[in-house]
């Protein structure tokens, strides 16, 4: 069966996502739409508004045939690693094409990837600038272009992964339609996910921009998942753990552990803490990811161990998705998991399991152990 | 100056405490009353209703002249260690007499302490009974008596410490008056601290049983400190830390780390967690203490290191207390601390500091760093 793959977060699933997936189907004439989706924490290191099962359900109800989780050690990563992880899973799932939005789909991304070969180490030596800023300075010198828009950055990541890992995937960047990622207002039926999240936080009106089911789930939220609610756990970890232990956390570098411990000792609110930690050196997203690794006590060695052992955790499917799973079952080279038992909990899936337990700050629903995939009857054309 | 010492928690300070300290003064004809007091966590491992500064203030306003903190590694301990730590500090402070309540003040506690010499290891081999139960079985065999009342147990601890450490202290057990520790109702002006805590939790009437100031402080509480509010931090630590790390926590033994991790994974409420962990082997208080050590990440080696380096952290004094401090200053062999700087925070006082940061779950007040002692003007007779 001819399958098209999508790389998604669906935080939350909205009308733009529905439009995007119908485009993907049209463009590629694929029979099956397969989405790889972040779990309960996004690439930027934030808890999702709805849990992964609710989001898988929304995706399946609105045109996706199969949803597979992007494990936390692949999802909560800088854009290029997020992109590489997602494409690795899509390739493992036997997908032929990948369709994704870009702000500049006409750019020659292969040429941009090639330009990176000529980057110099000295171009990354500024201590008071983020990695991304220094990356773009070098890219501009080489090509005259800058990767400043989020979907262009991801697109670059997809091409880079495809080239470096020689993935047998056809890539299709398409123009993003309607509101841009950074737009903060909802106008019409298509709005950005960030505008919708903002409206949810402010109890504004977001119904026109999301499918009915998502609107209902969002309206039922007792507490909107946010870093504010997780901060007491982060703060306690930073205060109680010795700096030598904090230094072993994944992506903790350049003495950031001292800065974070000091800020935790002084600040009772997450806003105050973030203000105390933030410098020009780090983006918000980078810091949020390090905060999350810290709460989860994910060490460098745990993450690198798990990165070597990816798997396919199936969150849900419809009948077409099930047929597709059957058709690829014998060829798939990664573990294909539909139900998590105690062995998986303690080993292969341990990091996702622990992240799910943290996510229970926001929901009583068990996120992994013995959770059956979402099955949606009937196939929506 | 002739000083009498008291071992206290003042959780909260109530009329019974006021009565007890006037008795202590009368009985010993002491000029100065010195109280050693638990900090923000009690011997039983619970957060105190009011912080240590509020409780020191109440004590000083009601007849105590000098309040010194019992460090967390001495306070949050089984009764005999709590008693030994408190007496060590009182002896270091040059106190002559110690007055304490007992349910059976006429008992020959020295003889009971001597009886312990004849206890056998096989008498502690029952896996499904607490240490205290097995201790009492042996004591009863030797002497015909059992230590079942909390103040008798502490009294035994004071005598044991005095004898073993050859402390130059005169001990005076006196009859506890009015309600017993376990009484749950408030009748009259003297009530037990536990009855008062219960009334505070249930928004009942406790005013008659406490001084005006304490009543006002208790009425202002936004959130009554409890384990429920600390549970998310305990749960996260139990889920995220590997069992090998949990096994190094002070007092973690007999595989309790596995039992606690499993219970944390399954329970979102503290009540459910406690129910899942509790066995006949452990008292509630023992478990609460282990939970607290776990949140604070206190290891066996950290606690034994700090037990070797006690200090006297002065929480407050009145004029008489200040005179007394002057009179003993040159003779005191332990560090006498009136203000906590960053060196003390990171070294000698580190465990109290970390406990104070945890206690900020319930109050925005910084508990140690640069906190000046409470000074009460005038001397109340």
């Amino acid at each position: 069966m001819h399958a098209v793959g999508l790389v998604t977060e669906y935080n939350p699933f909205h009308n733009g996502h529905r439009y995007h997936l119908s485009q993907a189907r049209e463009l590629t004439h694929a029979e099956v739409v397969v989405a790889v989706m972040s779990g309960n924490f996004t690439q930027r290191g934030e808890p999702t508004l709805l849990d992964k099962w609710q989001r898988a359900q929304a995706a399946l109800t609105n045109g996706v045939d199969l949803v597979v989780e992007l494990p936390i050690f692949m999802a909560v990563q800088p854009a290029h690693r997020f992109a590489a992880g997602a494409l690795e899973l899509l390739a493992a799932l036997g997908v032929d094409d990948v369709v994704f939005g870009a702000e500049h789909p006409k750019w020659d991304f292969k040429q941009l990837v090639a330009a990176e070969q000529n980057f110099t180490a000295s171009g990354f030596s500024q201590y008071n600038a983020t990695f991304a800023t220094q990356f773009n300075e070098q890219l501009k010198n080489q090509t005259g272009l800058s990767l400043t828009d989020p979907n262009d950055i991801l697109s670059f990541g997809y091409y880079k992964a495809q080239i470096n890992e020689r993935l047998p995937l056809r890539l299709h960047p398409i123009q993003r339609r309607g509101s841009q990622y950074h737009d903060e207002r909802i106008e019409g039926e298509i709005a950005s996910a960030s505008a919708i999240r903002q409206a949810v936080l402010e109890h504004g009106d977001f119904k026109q921009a999301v499918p009915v089911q998502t609107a209902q789930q969002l309206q039922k939220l007792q507490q909107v998942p946010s870093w504010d609610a997780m901060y007491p756990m982060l703060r306690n970890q930073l205060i109680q753990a010795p700096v030598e232990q904090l230094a072993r956390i994944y992506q903790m570098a350049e003495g950031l552990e001292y800065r974070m411990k000091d800020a935790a000792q002084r600040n009772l609110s997450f806003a105050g803490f973030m203000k105390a930690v933030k410098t020009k050196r780090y983006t918000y997203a980078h810091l949020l990811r390090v905060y999350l690794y810290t709460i989860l006590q994910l060490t460098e060695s745990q993450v690198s161990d798990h990165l070597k052992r990816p798997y396919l955790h199936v969150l849900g499917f419809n009948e077409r998705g099930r047929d597709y799973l059957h058709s690829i079952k014998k060829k798939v080279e990664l573990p294909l998991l539909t139900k998590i038992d105690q062995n998986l909990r303690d080993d292969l899936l341990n990091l996702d399991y622990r992240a799910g337990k943290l996510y229970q700050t926001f929901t009583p629903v068990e996120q992994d152990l013995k959770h059956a995939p979402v099955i949606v009857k009937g196939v929506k054309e």
Side-chain angles (χ1 to χ4, degrees), chain A:
Chain A
M1 292 167 87
H2 178 190
V4 62
L6 308 176
V7 180
T8 68
E9 297 212 297
Y10 294 152
N11 182 34
F13 189 94
H14 58 63
N15 296 337
H17 294 130
R18 192 152 61 179
Y19 175 77
H20 175 241
L21 70 88
S22 71
Q23 269 188 306
R25 207 190 282 272
E26 263 178 46
L27 185 70
T28 60
H29 305 288
E31 297 153 273
V32 185
V33 178
V34 176
V36 163
M37 185 182 82
S38 299
N40 291 318
F41 295 91
T42 65
Q43 185 261 327
R44 287 176 56 83
E46 290 178 302
T48 53
L49 291 191
L50 299 169
D51 77 20
K52 60 194 182 189
W53 305 101
Q54 291 175 303
R55 285 152 47 233
Q57 172 96 48
L60 294 166
T61 312
N62 288 283
V64 175
D65 300 308
L66 170 63
V67 182
V68 170
E69 180 173 3
L70 188 63
I72 187 158
F73 51 86
M74 292 177 145
V76 181
Q77 288 282 12
H80 67 284
R81 289 188 186 215
F82 170 90
L87 256 55
E88 183 181 350
L89 298 200
L90 287 174
L93 282 161
V95 157
D96 307 287
D97 297 88
V98 182
V99 177
F100 46 90
E103 286 81 4
H104 300 91
K106 301 260 160 72
W107 280 358
D108 185 347
F109 284 101
K110 285 185 188 172
Q111 188 218 330
L112 298 183
V113 171
E116 203 186 351
Q117 307 272 330
N118 303 321
F119 284 12
T120 62
S122 63
F124 289 106
S125 61
Q126 291 174 61
Y127 192 78
N128 62 347
T130 63
F131 178 86
T133 304
Q134 298 178 71
F135 176 95
N136 269 323
E137 276 172 21
Q138 299 211 55
L139 189 66
K140 194 149 197 177
N141 288 341
Q142 300 274 335
T143 66
L145 297 175
S146 292
L147 292 170
T148 49
D149 294 309
N151 292 284
D152 284 345
I153 293 170
L154 281 171
S155 300
F156 177 90
Y158 298 135
Y159 278 96
K160 186 173 168 178
Q162 185 218 33
I163 293 165
N164 291 351
E165 307 300 326
R166 297 167 195 232
L167 300 174
L169 297 168
R170 287 187 294 269
L171 303 187
H172 307 273
I174 59 173
Q175 187 68 50
R176 269 182 68 91
R177 175 178 177 274
S179 302
Q180 297 300 306
Y181 181 81
H182 289 299
D183 283 0
E184 295 205 352
R185 284 221 210 123
I186 296 178
E187 284 170 9
E189 288 190 3
I190 307 270
S192 71
S194 66
I196 295 166
R197 288 196 294 273
Q198 196 58 34
V200 172
L201 272 170
E202 291 166 359
H203 304 283
D205 190 12
F206 49 80
K207 270 181 299 198
Q208 57 180 322
V210 299
V212 178
Q213 196 186 27
T214 299
Q216 287 171 343
Q217 289 170 335
L218 289 171
Q219 279 166 330
K220 267 190 239 159
L221 276 181
Q222 300 275 329
Q223 179 190 17
V224 178
S226 78
W227 262 102
D228 291 329
M230 301 197 298
Y231 179 58
M233 286 175 273
L234 173 63
R235 176 174 176 269
N236 191 63
Q237 175 62 12
L238 288 169
I239 287 167
Q240 309 303 347
V243 281
E244 309 84 66
Q245 187 183 322
L246 296 173
R248 288 195 292 271
I249 294 297
Y250 184 63
Q251 299 275 317
M252 190 74 83
E254 302 170 348
L256 188 56
E257 64 275 22
Y258 290 95
R259 194 173 174 85
M260 282 169 58
K261 185 184 266 279
D262 185 69
Q265 288 173 338
R266 290 168 196 269
N267 288 281
L268 289 168
S269 76
F270 182 67
F273 171 77
M274 183 51 122
K275 206 176 156 188
V277 175
K278 184 81 177 75
T279 67
K280 285 187 181 169
R281 177 65 170 172
Y282 302 113
T283 61
Y284 274 90
H286 175 79
L287 291 174
L288 292 178
R289 287 192 292 264
V290 177
Y291 300 167
L292 187 61
Y293 306 142
T294 303
I295 294 194
L296 295 173
Q297 303 188 24
L298 294 193
T299 61
E300 191 77 39
S301 66
Q302 283 175 335
V303 174
S304 52
D305 169 49
H306 278 83
L307 280 168
K308 286 176 209 140
R309 299 189 294 153
Y311 49 84
L312 302 162
H313 183 196
V314 175
L315 295 180
F317 44 79
N318 59 18
E319 285 161 26
R320 200 154 48 199
R322 187 203 313 251
D323 291 346
Y324 184 70
L325 275 175
H326 275 291
S327 76
I328 62 163
K329 217 176 211 172
K330 291 191 178 150
K331 292 176 282 179
V332 172
E333 289 180 358
L334 300 182
L336 190 63
L337 314 174
T338 48
K339 215 158 190 181
I340 308 308
D341 63 15
Q342 298 197 347
N343 288 332
L344 288 168
R345 174 193 72 181
D346 295 338
D347 183 24
L348 202 55
L349 207 97
N350 188 248
L351 305 193
D352 280 335
Y353 174 76
R354 283 156 55 188
K357 288 281 124 182
L358 173 61
Y359 192 78
Q360 285 189 309
T361 303
F362 309 113
T363 174
V365 177
E366 166 63 44
Q367 290 296 305
D368 293 285
L369 194 64
K370 295 177 188 164
H371 200 304
V374 176
I375 299 174
V376 171
K377 300 273 175 192
V379 169
K380 180 165 172 143
E381 293 306 323

